[in-house]
Amino acid sequence: CAGAKRVLELGCGYGRVLASLADDPTLELTGLDRDSELLARARTRLPDRVALHESDMVDFCLDGEGFDRILIPHSGFYCLEDEASRIRCLRTVRDHLAPEGALVLDAYCADAFHLESDPDDHTDDQLDPVVTVEHAGQCFDVFERSAWDRPAKRLRVTYEYLPQGGGEAKLGSVMHHYLLLDEIEPLLQQAGFTGVELHGDWRGGPARPEAEMWVATARIG
């Protein structure tokens, strides 16, 4: 976001990225998410000058001048249901960019496991440890299990939060429709973006199937 004035984050959640950007008082920041509870949490940690909107990132309408940067971080783009939703989202983004603005999005790189792994390698009920988190004074050990539909390039990931010391587990799930590297630039071009750069990390390294992530920057001029 260096050099930007107005920044919009789509799928801002509880404000982790916006909180970091808010350290720069010159940035005019806006966050958008469809989850009202997450937005309420974001409001408690962000300065009042950060505008928050409850809406779906596929279809939204924000007044004012165009944004210099629009961000879709942390694989949020994979949460869109299908190609039609992706195109609608990208075209809405295009309509909200300033003439010299840029869309920046990142996600995990799925090429290696898509091409080399077998869905039977991991059963749907296999729990893998992820992290330990604390909420409201209670520590939870977090595990995940995945159901993979390779032809559809779709992952349903279920997270199980087990309270340390015993108690009822809490469950949450997310559906990811992932992209392969050779699908990203054509999709952005189909939505009307002309200047597309694809990298394999935030330092500008090459996009590679074996990389952990990809970063795309797209412009309209």
Side-chain angles (χ1 to χ4, degrees):
C1 295
K5 178 183 176 183
R6 304 188 73 228
V7 177
L8 166 64
E9 182 190 358
L10 302 181
C12 67
Y14 68 98
R16 180 172 59 165
V17 173
L18 289 172
S20 179
L21 292 173
D23 291 339
D24 183 349
T26 68
L27 287 177
E28 182 180 333
L29 299 173
T30 302
L32 182 145
D33 202 285
R34 68 180 185 180
D35 190 312
S36 59
E37 293 185 8
L38 287 175
L39 287 175
R41 290 186 61 193
R43 184 75 282 162
T44 65
R45 67 185 302 184
L46 295 171
D48 291 340
R49 63 184 177 84
V50 179
L52 297 176
H53 298 270
E54 183 179 345
S55 182
D56 194 301
M57 68 179 178
V58 171
D59 294 300
F60 61 91
C61 182
L62 301 177
D63 296 329
E65 300 177 1
F67 292 93
D68 303 303
R69 300 287 186 279
I70 297 181
L71 315 177
I72 311 178
H74 302 312
S75 305
F77 195 63
Y78 284 172
C79 294
L80 299 180
E81 296 178 358
D82 48 36
E83 184 169 343
S85 297
R86 293 168 179 162
I87 292 293
R88 285 166 56 198
C89 172
L90 292 173
R91 288 177 175 167
T92 303
V93 166
R94 182 194 62 194
D95 293 342
H96 282 76
L97 276 175
E100 301 300 322
L103 163 68
V104 184
L105 63 160
D106 69 277
Y108 59 83
C109 189
D111 288 62
F113 79 76
H114 178 83
L115 296 173
E116 300 171 7
S117 299
D118 190 311
D120 292 334
D121 292 343
H122 297 274
T123 61
D124 294 355
D125 59 356
Q126 178 177 329
L127 285 174
D128 297 316
V130 180
V131 71
T132 297
V133 298
E134 182 179 350
H135 176 66
Q138 172 71 60
C139 287
F140 295 84
D141 294 321
V142 185
F143 298 83
E144 70 175 17
R145 63 178 184 268
S146 300
W148 180 22
D149 183 341
R150 175 192 266 160
K153 296 194 288 288
R154 185 169 59 214
L155 284 166
R156 177 176 293 280
V157 183
T158 299
Y159 295 94
E160 186 166 334
Y161 297 77
L162 298 177
Q164 293 182 353
E168 183 179 357
K170 300 181 182 297
L171 298 177
S173 66
V174 62
M175 180 72 79
H176 274 183
H177 298 76
Y178 59 84
L179 293 168
L180 302 180
L181 287 178
D182 61 4
E183 298 175 313
I184 299 167
E185 185 170 355
L187 183 69
L188 289 162
Q189 291 174 338
Q190 184 180 350
F193 291 90
T194 55
V196 178
E197 299 178 10
L198 189 62
H199 298 288
D201 54 46
W202 287 107
R203 298 176 298 279
R208 299 171 290 114
E210 63 273 17
E212 292 186 1
M213 65 181 298
W214 57 262
V215 181
T217 303
R219 302 179 185 273
I220 54 179

